[in-house]
């Protein structure tokens, strides 16, 4: 794949430490100091979600404005294949759409006006507002003509498109772009299209030109309109790059094996999207995942699977696995012991075996094997001076295995009565388990019947 899975998590969900310069505004109503467009004070409590295609055009200016204002938002980049199923969600069945405090807003220019007013990119002068509208209309006309003539997505037949291309290059672009170039030439401050500060027109036109530059006419703009290209490059340099999308963890809404990944990511304070799949949804979704099973982590367009492989990678990334070979081996060994406990238990609880065998395995597990495995873990705890952790004085990968197994099996009301007399013989492990469970009070007891688990890979 070209890189380790852990490497793809390095900056997810975290604000870049060095960002391009942005406009400042004094008198923030919370901190009373200069801040980046009052993002903390003016962002809605329920957050911002933005829906548009995974391309520039009319929606890109909204993304650029929000990024320049340092506003945190969820950027839903809709694939063309997903659009037919999604379009019925919106009143006008079109995008862009921004969700602000749970309420949808549509129409790109209207959204830009709303955000411009909110974050100081819309001047109060009627004359400047008129100029903004004119500038945006010019580029709306340019992109419409270029799209119809040059884009492969144009609804026109290819012969008609080719017939239009000459007029667009020789007449339409020179007429419209000539107005823009002359306007910039006449301005003393060529940093901005309107007035002497950034406005919604700058963001809208930056987004439109990104789309134009993807067509086979980029050279026309670069050759003939140097002032515009200089303006575009300067403006783009001041927009922070888009935040990488949060990694997504796909797993069932239950604390089985995928819960270990949730625990580790939470403990490491990784900002990730916890996608909890309901059982009725699974049959329709399973073909979207490798091996048709979960858990799966999706990051930077890649899908990673196999619980143990992901646990190893994330533990190395976030410091839950020691690098010294002997210590590393001990942690992996302890994780294997916990897995043995789970596998022995699983054989007679949810796997599809004859009832006679399951009954015999159950009796052997509760009378011998459970004590043997828990005893092995207690022995390792006794060898550690603190006994608060399996090894050393901090979390290692094995803690996540233990917490998950304890909450799902050992402390589950369905089985607690059978494990209680066994755990009495292992006070060190029991005390250790209770301490670690306190670290994750948000965990919940398994709510699903174990019989249904034979239908999925846990």
């Amino acid at each position: 794949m070209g890189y380790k899975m852990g490497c793809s998590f390095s900056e997810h969900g975290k604000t870049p430490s060095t960002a391009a310069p942005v406009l400042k505004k004094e008198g923030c109503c919370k901190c009373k100091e200069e801040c980046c467009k009052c993002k903390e004070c003016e962002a809605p409590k329920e957050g911002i979600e933005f829906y548009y295609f995974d391309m520039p055009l009319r929606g890109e200016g909204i993304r650029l404005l929000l990024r320049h204002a340092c506003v945190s938002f969820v950027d839903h980049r809709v694939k063309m294949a997903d659009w037919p199923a999604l379009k019925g969600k919106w009143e006008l069945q079109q995008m862009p759409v921004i969700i602000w405090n749970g309420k949808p807003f549509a129409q790109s220019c209207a959204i830009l006006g709303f955000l411009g007013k909110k974050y100081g990119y819309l001047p109060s002068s009627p004359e400047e507002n008129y100029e903004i509208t004119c500038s945006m209309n010019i580029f709306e006309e340019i992109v419409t003509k270029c799209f119809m003539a040059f884009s492969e997505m144009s609804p026109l037949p290819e012969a008609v498109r080719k017939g239009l291309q000459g007029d667009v290059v020789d007449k339409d672009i020179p007429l419209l772009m000539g107005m823009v170039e002359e306007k910039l030439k006449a301005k003393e401050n060529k940093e901005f299209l309107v007035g002497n500060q950034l406005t919604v027109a700058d963001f809208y036109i930056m987004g439109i030109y990104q789309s134009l530059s993807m067509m086979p006419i980029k050279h026309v703009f670069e050759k003939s309109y140097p002032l515009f290209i200089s303006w575009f490059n300067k403006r783009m340099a001041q927009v922070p790059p888009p935040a990488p999308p949060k990694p997504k963890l796909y797993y069932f809404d239950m604390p089985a094996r995928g819960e270990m990944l949730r625990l580790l990511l939470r403990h490491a304070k990784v900002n990730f999207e916890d996608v909890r799949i309901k059982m009725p949804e699974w049959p329709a979704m399973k073909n979207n995942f490798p091996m048709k099973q979960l858990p799966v982590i999706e990051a930077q367009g890649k899908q990673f699977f196999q619980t143990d492989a992901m646990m190893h990678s994330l533990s190395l990334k976030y410091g839950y696995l020691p690098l010294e070979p002997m210590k590393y081996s001990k942690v992996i060994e302890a994780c294997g012991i916990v897995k043995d406990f789970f596998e022995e238990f699983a054989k007679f609880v949810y796997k599809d075996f004859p009832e006679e065998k399951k009954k015999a395995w159950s009796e052997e597990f509760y009378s011998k094997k459970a004590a043997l495995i828990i005893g092995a873990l207690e022995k390792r705890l006794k060898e550690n001076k603190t006994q608060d952790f399996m090894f050393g004085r901090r979390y290692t990968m094995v803690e996540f295995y233990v917490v998950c197994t304890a909450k799902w099996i050992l402390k589950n009301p369905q089985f607690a009565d059978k494990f209680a007399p066994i755990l009495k013989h292992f006070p060190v492990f029991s005390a250790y388990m209770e301490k670690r469970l306190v670290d994750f009070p948000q965990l919940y007891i398994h709510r699903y019947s174990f019989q249904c688990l034979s239908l999925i890979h846990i």
Side-chain angles (χ1 to χ4, degrees):
M1 292 185 181
Y3 59 89
K4 291 183 179 178
M5 181 196 136
C7 300
S8 65
F9 284 77
S10 58
E11 297 298 329
H12 281 294
K14 298 180 181 179
T15 303
S17 57
T18 57
V22 296
L23 288 181
K24 301 288 183 179
K25 183 165 112 180
E26 292 189 11
C28 169
C29 57
K30 267 192 179 180
C31 60
K32 305 302 179 186
E33 297 175 358
E34 287 190 349
C35 67
C36 298
K37 289 293 177 188
C38 290
K39 62 173 181 177
E40 296 297 332
C41 306
E42 299 188 29
K45 292 181 180 179
E46 293 184 23
I48 302 171
E49 294 185 63
F50 180 65
Y51 290 84
Y52 194 60
F53 299 107
D54 191 16
M55 60 174 68
L57 270 176
R58 294 169 179 84
E60 190 66 16
I62 298 168
R63 292 183 180 125
L64 294 173
L65 187 154
L66 291 170
R67 279 160 48 192
H68 189 274
C70 301
V71 176
S72 176
F73 70 104
V74 180
D75 187 3
H76 296 283
R77 293 179 174 262
V78 179
K79 306 292 184 185
M80 282 297 181
D82 300 331
W83 175 232
L86 184 64
K87 66 190 301 183
K89 184 177 180 181
W90 314 124
E91 181 184 13
L92 299 176
Q93 297 191 3
Q94 62 186 34
M95 296 189 292
V97 169
I98 192 167
I99 309 297
W100 185 281
N101 266 337
K103 182 180 178 181
F105 293 80
Q107 300 292 331
S108 55
C109 291
I111 296 170
L112 279 169
F114 168 72
L115 295 174
K117 197 75 172 174
K118 199 79 177 172
Y119 294 109
Y121 296 115
L122 201 62
S124 57
S125 163
E127 291 81 4
E128 288 189 351
N129 273 282
Y130 169 79
E131 286 190 53
I132 288 171
T133 303
C134 287
S135 299
M136 291 169 66
N137 285 346
I138 287 172
F139 273 85
E140 177 67 23
E141 190 169 349
I142 292 172
V143 76
T144 299
K145 290 180 179 294
C146 292
F147 179 87
M148 298 300 285
F150 290 97
S151 175
E152 293 181 359
M153 297 171 63
S154 170
L156 297 178
E158 186 176 359
V160 178
R161 285 198 297 116
K162 288 185 176 180
L164 292 174
Q165 289 174 2
D167 283 347
V168 171
V169 172
D170 297 334
K171 296 179 182 179
D172 297 326
I173 292 178
L175 174 64
L176 297 167
M177 282 303 302
M179 295 166 60
V180 175
E181 194 77 0
E182 286 300 318
K183 183 179 177 181
L184 283 169
K185 192 180 294 184
K187 279 178 102 289
E188 195 172 317
N189 184 350
K190 296 175 175 53
E191 299 266 322
F192 311 102
L193 286 180
V194 177
N196 294 309
Q197 68 175 53
L198 274 172
T199 68
V200 294
D202 294 276
F203 296 112
Y204 182 77
I205 293 167
M206 286 155 64
I208 292 294
Y209 182 68
Q210 283 187 338
S211 180
L212 291 169
S213 65
M214 296 168 64
M215 300 180 193
I217 49 171
K218 182 179 179 182
H219 65 284
V220 175
F221 292 89
E222 292 179 338
K223 180 181 178 181
S224 304
Y225 310 106
L227 292 178
F228 173 77
I229 296 300
S230 175
W231 163 85
F232 175 78
N233 291 334
K234 288 177 181 177
R235 293 281 59 83
M236 285 302 299
Q238 280 201 320
V239 178
K246 293 190 293 186
K248 292 183 179 181
L249 169 59
Y250 293 89
Y251 194 59
F252 302 104
D253 191 18
M254 60 174 68
R257 293 194 67 186
E259 188 74 6
M260 292 184 284
L261 293 160
R262 291 181 182 130
L263 298 176
L264 188 154
L265 291 170
R266 288 177 196 155
H267 195 267
K269 294 181 171 55
V270 176
N271 187 10
F272 73 103
E273 187 174 345
D274 186 3
V275 183
R276 293 174 177 260
I277 296 173
K278 307 294 183 184
M279 282 296 181
E281 302 169 344
W282 176 235
M285 297 179 67
K286 65 193 305 181
N287 289 333
N288 298 329
F289 299 103
M291 307 291 290
K292 299 182 181 181
Q293 65 185 45
L294 298 176
V296 165
I297 288 179
E298 192 173 83
Q300 292 188 347
K302 306 281 186 179
Q303 287 186 324
F304 305 89
F305 59 105
Q306 295 296 342
T307 307
D308 293 331
M310 291 187 285
M311 286 295 294
H312 276 67
S313 180
L314 292 171
S315 294
L316 286 169
K317 173 66 183 175
Y318 295 110
Y320 297 117
L321 268 177
L323 299 179
E324 196 276 315
M326 186 59 69
K327 293 179 180 178
Y328 175 95
S329 177
K330 287 184 176 181
V331 172
I332 298 301
E333 178 186 69
C335 290
I337 293 172
V338 179
K339 283 176 59 184
D340 287 346
F341 181 91
F342 168 78
E343 292 297 336
E344 291 293 332
F345 176 81
K347 283 195 304 186
F348 62 87
V349 173
Y350 70 84
K351 289 192 175 178
D352 190 16
F353 290 114
E355 287 301 319
E356 299 79 13
K357 282 191 174 183
K358 290 169 77 170
K359 183 179 179 182
W361 285 335
S362 173
E363 292 174 355
E364 184 183 16
F365 178 81
Y366 286 116
S367 63
K368 296 179 182 178
K369 287 190 175 180
L372 180 68
I373 295 171
I374 296 173
L377 295 171
E378 171 127 334
K379 177 184 176 183
R380 283 154 180 77
L381 279 166
K382 287 180 177 179
E383 292 171 354
N384 191 18
K385 290 182 180 179
T386 69
Q387 297 179 357
D388 288 336
F389 300 95
M390 193 69 68
F391 303 101
R393 298 176 179 274
R394 60 193 297 272
Y395 262 79
T396 61
M397 189 170 79
V398 68
E399 265 70 50
F400 303 113
Y401 278 75
V402 169
V403 171
C404 181
T405 303
K407 198 69 175 179
W408 188 37
I409 299 174
L410 295 172
K411 303 292 288 184
N412 191 312
Q414 287 181 261
F415 314 107
D417 289 346
K418 292 192 175 182
F419 285 113
I422 299 172
L423 289 171
K424 283 182 180 179
H425 297 287
F426 304 101
V428 176
F429 175 81
S430 297
Y432 154 80
M433 178 180 67
E434 295 296 339
K435 288 177 183 176
R436 298 286 63 83
L437 286 170
V438 170
D439 295 340
F440 297 96
Q442 73 272 34
L443 283 182
Y444 50 87
I445 295 298
H446 183 46
R447 302 187 303 273
Y448 296 84
S449 70
F450 274 68
Q451 285 70 31
C452 77
L453 301 186
S454 61
L455 303 175
I456 61 174
H457 294 276
I458 307 179

